[in-house]
Amino acid sequence: MGDNAISREKRSLPPADYSLKIESFKLLSESTVESFESGVFKSGGYNWKLVFYPNGKKNDGGKDHLSLYLKIDDSNPHSDGTWNVNVYYKLFVYDQLSNQYLVVQDAKAPMRRFDRRKGEWGFGKFLDLATFNEPSNGYLVDESCVFGAEVYVVKPTGSEEILSLVSEPDDGTYRFTIPAFGSVGDTVQRSGEFTVGERN
């Protein structure tokens, strides 16, 4: 995904679903660990994890960047192999100096489908390391940083409505005439009984 497909903006409201605080970031970034998976959190009836690459996910264009992804957890019960979950999601990093969150999301395709073949979505170029490591930006303070997620699962309700018009009804037509309609007031008006098909 190209960097121009990513939207970034600041807000003061924290992530609604999950926050992950990492302490001793330098030790993590200098270790042999390529990626770190968070604990499981629930949102929209499903179990999720954040997957964090402190030195970038190289095969997703993450060189010289932090990479951050949302992953649907394997613990979710699925009835068959054709399952899918449609999601709007936002990922966050906390600016500890301004007490604001940088919100990162897809700009061109904000809804993503998680399924058996693709269970992880996110950003190889979540934030460049130079910006992240700069103390005045507030993302890394005393070797600690905070990331977060909001997950909005789109669940079909099955509701639908059908509008069908006819110009001339075949049968069962009944005309209900109310004389002097303007003077009816609060009086309830009822038609006489009429039959349509086999019902009165």
Side-chain angles (χ1 to χ4, degrees), residues 34-192:
E34 181 183 357
S35 65
F36 170 79
E37 288 192 4
S38 74
V40 173
F41 65 95
K42 291 184 177 292
S43 184
Y46 293 89
N47 297 330
W48 306 92
K49 287 183 176 181
L50 285 180
V51 183
F52 175 67
Y53 291 75
N55 294 301
K57 187 176 182 182
K58 306 302 187 292
N59 62 2
D60 194 21
K63 183 181 179 184
D64 300 322
H65 285 74
L66 295 175
S67 300
L68 188 63
Y69 299 85
L70 176 68
K71 176 182 179 181
I72 191 164
D73 191 58
D74 294 335
S75 63
N76 288 291
H78 300 297
S79 58
D80 56 44
T82 62
W83 63 271
N84 61 74
V85 181
N86 295 313
V87 171
Y88 289 98
Y89 71 97
K90 298 177 181 180
L91 301 180
F92 297 74
V93 60
Y94 182 43
D95 177 348
Q96 300 172 64
L97 298 181
S98 69
N99 194 28
Q100 289 192 313
Y101 292 83
L102 178 67
V103 185
V104 181
Q105 65 184 124
D106 286 310
K108 293 183 178 178
M111 186 169 73
R112 292 296 188 180
R113 173 170 290 189
F114 291 76
D115 56 29
R116 182 173 50 85
R117 292 169 296 170
K118 179 74 172 174
E120 182 179 298
W121 287 97
F123 309 99
K125 294 183 177 180
F126 178 77
L127 187 65
D128 68 89
L129 284 168
T131 299
F132 176 76
N133 287 312
E134 170 55 47
S136 64
N137 290 327
Y139 300 121
L140 184 62
V141 175
D142 296 328
E143 292 303 318
S144 73
C145 50
V146 179
F147 299 92
E150 284 182 355
V151 183
Y152 305 94
V153 176
V154 180
K155 294 182 178 180
T157 63
S159 299
E160 66 177 40
E161 180 176 336
I162 298 175
L163 173 64
S164 179
L165 303 176
V166 292
S167 58
E168 296 181 9
D170 293 334
D171 61 5
T173 303
Y174 179 81
R175 184 181 297 271
F176 181 26
T177 304
I178 302 175
F181 180 78
S183 62
V184 168
D186 294 334
T187 306
V188 176
Q189 302 292 312
R190 290 187 173 87
S191 74

